[in-house]
Amino acid sequence: MPVLVEMGWGGLVQYPWSITWTDITDRVDQVQGVTITRGASDELSETQPGTATLTLDNQDGSLTPGNPNSPFYPYVRKNAPIRVSIAHYPARTGAAPYPVAMLTDEFDDQRMTATLWTSAGGATETAEGRLRLPATAGVTARYTSLRQWTLAGSQVAVKLVAVPAAGGSSSAYTSLSLVSSTSGTRLRWYFNAVTRDLRAVSDVGGSDGAAVILPYDPIGHAWLRIRETAGTVVWETSSDGWDWVIRRSLSTPAWIGTDQILVELAASRTGGTSDYAEWDYLGAQVRPRFWGMVNEFPVEWEGLTSSVSISATDLFKRLNRLPPLRSMLGMEVLTVDTLTGAYSFPAAYFPLSEPSDSTSAGDVIGRGAGALAVSQTGVGGTLTFGDVGVPETDETAPTFTPASATAGPYLIGDLGPQTAADSTTWLVHLQVWIKTSTAGRAILGMHDTRLDNQLILSLNGSGVLQVETTQDGAALTVGTTTSGNLANGQWHHIVFDGSSKIAYVDGAPVSGTLLATSSQDLQTVYVGGYRNARLFNGQIAHVSMHLANGPVGSVYAASYGAITGFSGESADWRVERLARYAGLPSVTLLGSTHDPIASQGPGGSGVVARLREVEATESGRLYAERDYYGLAYQSRDLRFNPDIVGEVFALAYADLEPGLELADDDQKLVNEIEASRPGGATQTLSAPESILAFGTYPQQLNILKLTDVAVTDAAYWKVLRYANPEPEIREVPIEAYTLPEYLSILDADISSYFTVYDLPAQALATEMRVTVEGYTETIRENSHVITFRTSTSSQDSVWVIGDPVYGVLGITSRLAY
């Protein structure tokens, strides 16, 4: 059974590292199979959300949503995490001794394979397709292989499905052992049920004084492997059988090169309550195919039978549901804490972007902070919401216009008891944007209910930033910075780091003696003045309070770049920034050509739309990972010159399924482009010879380049590639399961290359190299049909001076962009 289907019952896709996966492969309808679609239709189309469809047996009702008798209740629900993999078992070939990687067993036929194993202690194979080893007092249950295997240059991998409990015993364990012909000499993965640890062991004489001991993690240690390579033995663990972490390594013991080993899976205990260990997928070579979320669990009945035909979608489903982004400035406030390296979080954030008829301003964090209400002291003055705010944002900002320093409106609010309590434990950090021409005023301030602890940001009479504090109810201590005059009518970003006692202005630290080290029970907050005095005259925006256990101000200070929309940062940085806004834990960046990106303007669009803008600007490729909840982004140079980069596999035409076609049409033809950028020129570029031959095929290109020259380069790149597209193979159907190249075929992903050779005599060449744009695959019992959607690789050939293949400009290659 090549397919491995697992459900993350109760798991949250945004926290993939915490998901406990349940194997439901035995429920999969192998006749209908699992169908997965991934990638794009061609290189000019955007990649689409990946999907998977499969039918599951529901005879016992376990997959009926809301069924309280289901062992998975109440987690049979929409958006449940799902992953699909291939568990490939290499064939045993040649004569003994065999590489131990050829020792494979799915344990799914409910009987021991006598040509592989001997057994003892009641070891059995279960109806669910696992090896069960009873952990019974005084009895060692084991599956022991024949002594006909070698570890040198090979490996053994297995899934540890269930471990025994201590059960009142002084000793209980389960283990995987590779046993030398010398008594007491072996390599082991050993789980100790009493101490709940996992040990990487190299025994000599029955013991190992240098064993590596890991606290057992049933998620991270689900798969175990021992591998020898180039003179080193490594012990590895994995959560999915694909992505391995080295836990121990040592120089290969001499016996590895000489001894034939036996492999043993065992479990036992000295006393206490009996239970068992379970192992599975011995020798499986795992290849991930899909990672996503189930859309629904529609229960179907036919007579007395029941099934569930589910569909699932990769992470783009979740990304497409996210609300429109705030401005980059706002998103930085909400997400930058993930970059600090400390434990930090926003406790309150007041964008102050309410419409003009507002009389209060709200918090968007939701930790209990109340609204900031307009408060009047003295007579006169105005406070107007809805005025133009910080550049490159769509948020407005209020304008404070007091009649004097002691007469006019300002804002006051309650941060709430939770934030007050947290400020006792964590250090306070502040961010705020200001614009004023009046010195000697307070920007914002906070205090506890007794005024023992106070913290105020203000400008002195020269417009220089001050930090005023007290922690014992005594007079305020004033720390003056070297910020220079901030009352100059320009927007300024101010950060106060309560840990390092450093202030940052417009992205840079400013020196000064700032005495605040902690501020307890801060609950009342003022914006635009402090306690009926020093009323601010100007604009204040994006007030936020963060709590952290260390210095984080330098990270917050980098948010100053939002005033230009981070214009000029490279495309890879922009992709990582946008992924952070979406709450993604990781982005895989591939390739090395990442040009500067212009500002994407204020908020209002979704994160996927923003990512697509970068992708289109850079002629890159954006898609969801198939083994993890993460994004991958490829720069255009990843595809340059496939002869230099290399290919994943090559197949003869005779090994393909029927349906190979050669296309030569005008589907991709582009010979005139009107190109532009925000704030730049509109330019038209064309290929006259193509227009003469085929007529005009126009296209508009509006991209986020910084210069008109960069726009020209991007437009020329497209015209040179598609003024006269070459004949190409657009689909390659393969029955992969039966081919020796099976694993290599599974390794092919978006932008991989492969060659079809020994083409029929009517073809224009004996072989053609293609680039993978996407694929649809159907996995059944002993069958795996993959139809790759492809483009011709030569479209991405670029000029290399003196190269025998790519050194002929305009014929075999074109200028790189």
Side-chain angles (χ1 to χ4, degrees), residues 405-430:
T406 56
Y410 61 103
L411 298 171
I412 185 172
D414 187 337
L415 293 172
Q418 182 65 56
T419 297
D422 288 342
S423 70
T424 301
T425 305
W426 309 104
L427 298 171
V428 174
H429 302 72
L430 303 175

Side-chain angles (χ1 to χ4, degrees), residues 41 68 131 170 211 318 402 410 598 750 801 808:
S41 58
L131 171 62
S170 61
R318 181 179 178 86
Y410 61 103
I750 296 166
I801 298 175
V808 187

Side-chain angles (χ1 to χ4, degrees), residues 494-817:
I494 297 172
V495 172
F496 172 66
D497 186 317
S499 175
S500 62
K501 296 170 286 185
I502 295 174
Y504 297 78
V505 174
D506 298 343
V510 290
S511 60
T513 303
L514 311 179
L515 299 180
T517 55
S518 65
S519 297
Q520 298 182 4
D521 298 321
L522 294 177
Q523 188 158 348
T524 303
V525 59
Y526 303 82
V527 175
Y530 188 66
R531 301 184 64 212
N532 299 328
R534 294 188 286 171
L535 302 183
F536 191 84
N537 188 359
Q539 288 186 283
I540 299 177
H542 300 284
V543 174
S544 62
M545 173 182 176
H546 304 253
L547 298 173
N549 65 352
V552 293
S554 60
V555 177
Y556 298 150
S559 298
Y560 177 65
I563 200 169
T564 64
F566 298 101
S567 179
E569 70 178 347
S570 60
D572 54 335
W573 282 42
R574 182 64 57 84
V575 168
E576 288 189 314
R577 188 181 302 278
L578 293 171
R580 166 160 53 92
Y581 294 169
L584 294 178
S586 64
V587 180
T588 301
L589 298 169
L590 304 167
S592 57
T593 299
H594 303 289
D595 292 347
I597 294 289
S599 168
Q600 292 180 272
S605 59
V607 68
V608 174
R610 295 262 164 137
L611 287 164
R612 294 297 187 195
E613 287 177 344
V614 178
E615 177 188 34
T617 296
E618 291 300 289
S619 297
R621 220 65 179 137
L622 182 78
Y623 54 91
E625 297 275 27
R626 60 185 176 186
D627 65 327
Y628 196 68
Y629 180 71
L631 276 179
Y633 172 75
Q634 300 175 350
S635 66
R636 60 184 177 274
D637 70 302
L638 189 74
R639 297 185 173 211
F640 287 174
N641 298 347
D643 280 326
I644 295 175
V645 174
E647 61 188 8
V648 178
F649 62 90
L651 286 180
Y653 167 74
D655 289 331
L656 306 183
E657 295 297 286
L660 191 71
E661 295 182 355
L662 186 70
D664 184 25
D665 53 33
D666 61 357
Q667 175 181 314
K668 300 179 182 180
L669 203 155
V670 177
N671 54 26
E672 182 178 276
I673 292 182
E674 184 181 87
S676 60
R677 66 181 179 92
T682 298
Q683 308 172 73
T684 299
L685 300 101
S686 63
E689 292 182 1
S690 174
I691 292 174
L692 179 63
F694 308 116
T696 302
Y697 285 75
Q699 186 178 96
Q700 288 193 329
L701 187 66
N702 188 2
I703 51 180
L704 301 172
K705 295 295 186 182
L706 292 182
T707 67
D708 294 333
V709 172
V711 173
T712 302
D713 291 341
Y716 265 130
W717 171 247
K718 194 159 195 175
V719 168
L720 288 171
R721 294 167 75 205
Y722 298 108
N724 185 12
E726 299 177 17
E728 64 181 1
I729 298 171
R730 291 183 180 159
E731 284 194 349
V732 181
I734 303 171
E735 170 50 272
Y737 183 76
T738 59
L739 296 174
E741 299 86 355
Y742 185 40
L743 287 181
S744 296
I745 294 170
L746 295 184
D747 288 339
D749 201 356
I750 296 166
S751 297
S752 295
Y753 311 103
F754 65 89
T755 295
V756 179
Y757 62 89
D758 287 347
L759 288 165
Q762 299 85 357
L764 50 89
T766 59
E767 64 180 45
M768 297 186 71
R769 177 165 287 179
V770 295
T771 301
V772 176
E773 305 298 343
Y775 55 81
T776 296
E777 60 186 327
T778 299
I779 310 163
R780 300 184 178 94
E781 183 72 26
N782 298 327
S783 174
H784 192 162
V785 177
I786 307 177
T787 299
F788 288 105
R789 297 183 294 278
T790 61
S791 62
T792 178
S793 300
S794 60
Q795 293 293 155
D796 296 296
S797 300
V798 302
W799 188 37
V800 179
I801 298 175
D803 187 88
V805 177
Y806 299 108
V808 187
L809 184 62
I811 298 178
T812 61
S813 61
R814 55 193 58 81
L815 290 174
Y817 149 66

Side-chain angles (χ1 to χ4, degrees), residues 13-15 79 293 314-326 331 334-335 575-585 603-611 629 631:
V13 293
Q14 62 270 39
Y15 305 119
N79 293 334
M293 296 166 284
D314 67 20
L315 73 84
F316 272 100
K317 175 183 179 180
R318 181 179 178 86
L319 296 185
N320 283 320
R321 291 201 323 268
L322 294 176
L325 295 176
R326 291 180 174 272
M331 296 308 301
L334 292 172
T335 66
V575 168
E576 288 189 314
R577 188 181 302 278
L578 293 171
R580 166 160 53 92
Y581 294 169
L584 294 178
S605 59
V607 68
V608 174
R610 295 262 164 137
L611 287 164
Y629 180 71
L631 276 179

